[in-house]
């Protein structure tokens, strides 16, 4: 598992350097080398994950053809009720539970993304309070994925609204930390939930930063 994650990170680094090379290379031979390195990167990830190479390449089609590659940003809302239970949503993709949130959107601040995603996924209204943590996904025991990801955890105060249905969320609810449901480990780990809970209980604690 650890060696697989290390290979994925190396492949991601090869892809980032290659795509950056395409942004600045004027020589056709250098361009061809960069394209070949992109294919090698996809092949490495395919070997580790079992996915097809074209599926790996498809993950990166949102990038402009010639652009400096940067990590994707995953923003998660940390919301509690009056009983100190944490808000979780059940993801349709894997049937497991996570904090409300998702990929950041262009044109929205991190706080606005936290508010928007919570509303869209649960129907609840929240007010951002403070940033609890910024984590590099590779530094934690998540399953292997093609993307290189930074995860933002934003503490939010529940202000209103009510649970509503949404197309990509199967269920939602508040849970005690000693009775968490099966978690979507690609999105959140039990130890991360306990860490951010510890941070939110100490207003003077610095932001956790990988």
């Amino acid at each position: 598992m650890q060696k697989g994650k290390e290979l994925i990170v190396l492949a991601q680094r090869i892809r980032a350097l290659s795509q950056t090379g395409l942004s600045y290379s004027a020589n056709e031979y250098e361009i061809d080398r960069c394209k070949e390195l992109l294919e090698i990167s996809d092949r490495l990830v395919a070997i580790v994950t079992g996915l097809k190479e074209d599926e790996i390449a498809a993950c990166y089609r949102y990038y402009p053809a010639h652009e400096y590659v940067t990590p994707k940003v995953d923003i998660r809302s940390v919301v509690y009720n009056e009983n100190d239970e944490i808000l979780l949503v059940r993801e349709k993709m894997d049937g497991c539970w996570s904090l409300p949130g998702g990929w950041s959107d262009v044109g929205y601040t991190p706080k606005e993304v936290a508010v928007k995603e919570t509303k869209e996924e649960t129907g609840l209204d929240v007010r951002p309070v403070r940033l609890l943590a910024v984590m590099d996904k590779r530094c934690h025991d998540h399953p292997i994925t093609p993307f290189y990801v930074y995860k933002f955890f934003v503490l939010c105060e529940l202000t209103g609204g009510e649970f509503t249905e949404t197309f990509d969320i199967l269920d939602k609810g508040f849970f005690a930390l000693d009775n968490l449901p099966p978690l979507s480990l690609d999105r959140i780990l039990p130890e991360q939930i306990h860490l951010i809970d510890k941070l939110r209980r100490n207003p003077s604690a610095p932001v956790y930063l990988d």
Side-chain angles (χ1 to χ4, degrees), residues 42-79:
D42 293 342
R43 198 171 307 143
L44 286 171
V45 175
I47 290 171
V48 174
T49 63
L51 297 171
K52 297 179 180 179
E53 289 179 38
D54 57 350
E55 293 175 324
I56 303 299
C59 292
Y60 295 92
R61 285 182 187 145
Y62 69 92
Y63 285 122
H66 300 290
E67 184 57 89
Y68 193 95
V69 179
T70 60
K72 288 176 71 69
V73 177
D74 178 27
I75 296 178
R76 297 287 162 175
S77 300
V78 183
V79 185

Side-chain angles (χ1 to χ4, degrees), residues 120-139:
E120 289 178 353
E121 294 187 355
T122 70
L124 299 179
D125 299 313
V126 297
R127 179 182 66 83
V129 177
R130 62 187 176 100
L131 179 65
L132 294 176
V134 179
M135 300 183 186
D136 183 329
K137 192 173 180 181
R138 73 179 172 91
C139 297

